[in-house]
């Protein structure tokens, strides 16, 4: 099969399209014919081996798993003898980040707990854009953010993959949403359901008088001391982008202020994928896609993501 391989840490130029052996599913795994995948920041971190702590799980000096790609959609081609929830021919989508990645290839193996049936009204490309970003948004809002109907929430980084799903999920859960993004992405944020859009180049939300029940933060470009005054009493702050400050000082800051400061470490759960597929089938969420690429264009897609300022998702058709 064809796959995008990297053998050393570095830049997208390290990625090569090669012919490799097709993986064999274990007893508790399925073999998926991958029809689409999508790019995430996690792929960029694994490719570069940064921040350094990622190497403790991905390989200290060389990558342990040589095929990137977490988000996939496709068709099940074989099932292991212990698999009970899927059968050959099922159309699925899921997140391989907990089992060695491997999505930038014509075939991949996965445990059934990280897959769900593909939303019926989405294409394979649209379904592949969902798993990691939408699960991160859901868990950030619901599990750490404790979102409630009527909450006033702010999403910093609202036009990226996670942010674009967060707007839609928050609206589906009855919240009032303020989106922070660039002016060029304001129309997208409004289309996704944002009640108000702040252009970060013009207004700094930490310097305004408004307060929020919940702040979901991707860029993590403000300190906790700057964030704290714009949270209501008992308010919650959730960083879904990497925040060493929130990781190290969040508990102390929470104790000191009575407000909650946390860093999200999202983990794929089958039940969450099923819920998100239901929301997609009901028309309550959909994946905004900025651009489609082919398998051999994965390096180009990762280079574009590295530059930042992405609107929605970058998808790979395989």
């Amino acid at each position: 099969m064809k796959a995008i391989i990297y053998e050393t840490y570095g830049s997208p130029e390290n990625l090569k399209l090669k012919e490799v052996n097709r993986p064999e599913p274990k007893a508790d795994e399925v073999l998926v014919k991958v029809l689409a995948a999508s790019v995430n920041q996690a792929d960029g971190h694994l490719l570069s081996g940064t921040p350094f702590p990622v190497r403790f799980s991905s390989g200290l000096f060389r990558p342990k798993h040589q095929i990137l790609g977490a988000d996939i959609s496709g068709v099940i081609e074989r099932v292991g003898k212990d698999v009970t929830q899927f059968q050959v021919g099922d159309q699925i989508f899921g997140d391989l980040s907990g089992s060695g990645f491997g999505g930038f290839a014509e075939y991949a193996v996965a445990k059934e707990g990280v897959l769900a049936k593909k939303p019926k009204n989405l294409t394979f490309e649209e379904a592949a854009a969902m798993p990691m970003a939408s699960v991160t948004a859901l868990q950030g809002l619901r599990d750490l953010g404790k979102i409630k109907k009527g909450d006033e929430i702010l999403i910093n980084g609202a036009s990226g993959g996670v942010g674009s799903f967060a707007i839609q999920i928050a609206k589906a859960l009855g919240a009032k949403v303020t989106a922070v993004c660039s002016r060029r992405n304001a129309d997208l944020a409004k289309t996704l359901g944002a009640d108000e859009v702040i252009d970060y180049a013009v207004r700094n939300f930490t310097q305004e008088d408004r307060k929020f029940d919940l702040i979901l933060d991707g860029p993590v470009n403000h300190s906790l001391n700057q964030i704290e005054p714009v949270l209501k009493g008992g308010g919650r702050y959730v960083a879904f982008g990497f925040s060493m400050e929130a990781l190290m000082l969040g508990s102390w800051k929470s104790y000191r202020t009575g407000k909650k400061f946390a860093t999200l470490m999202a983990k794929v759960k089958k039940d969450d994928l099923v819920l998100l597929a239901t929301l997609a089938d009901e028309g309550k969420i959909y994946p905004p896609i900025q651009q489609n690429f082919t398998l051999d264009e994965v390096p180009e897609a990762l280079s574009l993501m590295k530059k930042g300022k992405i609107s929605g998702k970058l998808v790979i058709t395989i």
Side-chain angles (χ1 to χ4, degrees), residues 9-31:
Y9 293 117
S11 67
E13 287 70 29
N14 288 33
L15 297 167
K16 306 298 180 185
L17 181 67
K18 291 188 176 182
E19 193 75 29
V20 299
N21 293 329
R22 191 173 71 174
E24 292 295 322
K26 298 176 182 177
D28 60 345
E29 294 178 331
V30 300
L31 176 68

Side-chain angles (χ1 to χ4, degrees), residues 44-302:
H45 291 310
L46 288 179
L47 174 60
S48 64
T50 58
F52 193 81
V54 306
R55 299 194 185 200
F56 296 134
S57 59
S58 67
L60 195 57
F61 301 108
R62 296 171 64 87
K64 181 167 58 176
H65 304 289
Q66 296 183 344
I67 305 177
L68 297 172
D71 288 346
I72 64 166
S73 67
V75 178
I76 291 180
E77 191 153 300
R78 285 174 55 191
V79 297
K81 64 181 181 64
D82 296 336
V83 172
T84 60
Q85 300 176 47
F86 297 104
Q87 58 187 351
V88 173
D90 283 345
Q91 298 181 358
I92 57 83
F93 76 126
D95 177 353
L96 309 181
S97 60
S99 55
F101 287 66
F104 297 154
E106 293 179 318
Y107 291 89
V109 293
K111 295 185 183 298
E112 56 187 346
V114 301
L115 303 174
K117 297 287 183 67
K118 180 181 78 70
K120 295 181 178 63
N121 66 344
L122 296 186
T123 66
F124 284 103
E125 284 80 7
E126 290 168 337
M130 286 189 58
M132 183 178 285
S134 63
V135 166
T136 299
L138 176 65
Q139 293 179 3
L141 291 167
R142 181 196 63 194
D143 300 345
L144 285 185
K146 307 298 181 185
I147 190 172
K148 304 183 299 297
K149 184 176 181 179
D151 273 354
E152 292 187 79
I153 78 166
L154 179 138
I155 300 169
N156 188 24
S159 59
V162 176
S164 60
F165 281 111
I167 293 173
Q168 298 175 81
I169 294 169
K171 292 302 296 180
L173 295 175
K176 182 178 180 181
V177 177
T178 297
V180 179
C181 61
S182 65
R183 183 175 63 179
R184 70 185 179 90
N185 289 323
D187 288 342
L188 172 62
K190 291 176 182 176
T191 299
L192 295 174
D195 298 285
E196 181 183 352
V197 178
I198 293 177
D199 176 358
Y200 62 75
V202 177
R203 296 164 55 191
N204 182 341
F205 72 88
T206 68
Q207 297 178 357
E208 299 193 354
D209 292 334
R210 292 184 59 192
K211 295 180 182 290
F212 299 91
D213 298 289
L214 168 62
I215 294 175
L216 198 65
D217 190 4
V220 194
N221 49 7
H222 301 282
S223 70
L224 298 187
N225 285 338
Q226 292 173 312
I227 292 289
E228 193 272 328
V230 292
L231 282 176
K232 296 180 181 180
R236 292 87 64 198
Y237 168 81
V238 178
F240 64 85
F242 180 75
S243 171
M244 181 61 72
E245 184 185 22
L247 187 65
M248 300 297 293
L249 301 177
S251 296
W252 175 82
K253 191 79 171 175
S254 300
Y255 173 78
R256 184 173 175 273
T257 65
K259 303 172 184 180
K260 183 175 181 179
F261 296 84
T263 297
L264 175 65
M265 303 294 287
K267 184 178 181 180
V268 62
K269 296 179 181 178
K270 185 182 185 68
D271 289 346
D272 287 347
L273 289 172
V274 172
L275 171 60
L276 291 159
T278 300
L279 291 175
D281 279 333
E282 292 174 349
K284 293 180 180 177
I285 64 172
Y286 78 94
I289 294 174
Q290 174 175 315
Q291 191 171 343
N292 284 73
F293 299 83
T294 56
L295 183 59
D296 63 322
E297 293 174 330
V298 166
E300 181 182 340
L302 279 164

